[in-house]
Amino acid sequence: MRKIISPHRRAGPQSVGRVFSILGSLAEAENGATLSELAVEVGAPKTSLAGLLAGLVDEGCLVRDDVARYSLGPKFISLAIRVTGKRELVPLARPFLVDLMEKTGETAVLGTLAPDEDVAIYLDKVESTNSIRYAVNIGERRQLYSTAVGKVLLAHFAPAHLKAYLKTAKRKRFTQKTLTKAQDLETELRRIRQNGFACSVNEQVIGASAVAAPIHALDGSVAAVIVVAGPSDRFIKKVNTGAALIVEAADECSQLLRGSDTEQ
């Protein structure tokens, strides 16, 4: 019987399917696999897989050891950590946000780097019960250079990434406190790396201030940022105690996240 294929259905490139088959096979192989073993698993000729494997090794998605066994590489593992980490982060960080809101009386927020551009995006929030409070919507985006959450993310950019950002990002002066000069920002980012947290006082909006600290993933990258924000006139009085609480919460959340990563 002749198999009829609808003209509306299109098969994807064969090499793409084979790449995913390779990655899937290696994810299940504790000790990696040779070219011959992968050819059997994937169901493809060794000659067809050799070029794909070489390309994946060049990109850091796979590693090839001295006995020609292939394993998942650092780039793929780092990507997997970031993807799974984002899914786990919201429920993982939620108790810390609740605790910070109760202890400080101010709004606690979880943010991270947006996947499509260099801005911060909010993932979760626990708003203050005060009638006058910092209010934000989940999914809202914020500039990196003028917010506490953004400056934490910037402070942990890879050097080349940070250099490109400072060179190309347009920096609008929202208030007199906004840092727009690259030199001023670099000084501020060094201070953040040294102190372990960032402050923003009337930089994005007059009357709003915040403190933020990073949550680190297993690979050392910043998976997310915990922020506590409130009206400046009330918030400034508790910056020091607030910063200590936020850093402690972020560190504890980092430990939990690393533990959940290693268990996967």
Side-chain angles (χ1 to χ4, degrees):
M1 179 182 291
R2 179 181 297 176
K3 184 177 181 180
I4 300 175
I5 301 176
S6 168
H8 299 292
R9 295 181 60 191
R10 296 177 58 190
Q14 191 175 42
S15 59
V16 174
R18 286 176 176 172
V19 165
F20 278 100
S21 295
I22 290 168
L23 295 174
S25 296
L26 292 177
E28 299 293 329
E30 291 186 9
N31 300 313
T34 64
L35 173 59
S36 297
E37 290 168 341
L38 286 171
V40 173
E41 284 288 326
V42 175
K46 290 191 289 185
T47 52
S48 298
L49 293 186
L52 291 177
L53 292 170
L56 289 168
V57 169
D58 288 343
E59 290 296 322
C61 294
L62 300 182
V63 292
R64 183 177 184 272
D65 64 19
D66 295 337
V67 292
R69 295 189 73 82
Y70 294 90
S71 303
L72 295 177
K75 180 179 285 189
F76 181 80
I77 293 172
S78 177
L79 178 62
I81 287 172
R82 290 200 297 272
V83 171
T84 57
K86 293 294 188 301
R87 290 175 183 166
E88 293 181 352
L89 264 173
V90 172
L92 191 71
R94 182 77 181 180
F96 294 97
L97 299 183
V98 172
D99 185 58
L100 284 169
M101 188 281 291
E102 292 176 347
K103 288 179 176 177
T104 65
E106 306 296 351
T107 297
V109 185
L110 182 70
T112 192
L113 188 68
D116 55 344
E117 60 177 328
D118 284 339
V119 295
I121 185 169
Y122 291 136
L123 302 175
D124 197 13
K125 64 172 181 176
V126 176
E127 284 197 4
S128 169
T129 56
N130 286 304
S131 56
I132 300 176
R133 62 184 180 271
Y134 183 81
V136 66
N137 294 318
I138 295 172
E140 276 189 37
R141 298 184 174 212
R142 291 288 186 268
Q143 294 295 331
L144 299 182
Y145 65 93
S146 57
T147 60
V149 58
K151 289 190 291 184
V152 168
L153 293 167
L154 273 181
H156 294 85
F157 270 14
H161 191 179
L162 178 59
K163 183 178 180 180
Y165 175 86
L166 293 175
K167 183 178 180 180
T168 61
K170 295 180 180 179
R171 295 185 288 276
K172 175 184 176 181
R173 185 177 295 279
F174 295 102
T175 74
Q176 291 184 345
K177 296 285 188 178
T178 308
L179 300 178
T180 57
K181 294 182 180 179
Q183 185 175 356
D184 293 338
L185 271 172
E186 287 177 314
T187 299
E188 174 75 351
L189 298 180
R190 283 194 295 270
R191 186 181 301 114
I192 292 166
R193 286 189 288 268
Q194 182 178 359
N195 294 339
F197 64 89
C199 292
S200 173
V201 180
N202 302 321
E203 292 182 33
Q204 175 90 21
V205 178
I206 293 291
S209 297
V211 175
I215 296 173
H216 292 282
L218 184 63
D219 65 351
S221 64
V222 174
V225 180
I226 289 181
V227 189
V228 172
S232 296
D233 57 352
R234 188 173 68 217
F235 192 80
I236 291 174
K237 300 174 184 177
K238 42 188 166 186
V239 165
N240 291 334
T241 55
L245 289 171
I246 295 161
V247 169
E248 181 181 11
D251 287 345
E252 291 182 15
C253 197
S254 296
Q255 292 174 17
L256 287 177
L257 180 61
R258 292 188 189 113
S260 67
D261 286 340
T262 57
E263 291 169 4
Q264 291 174 17

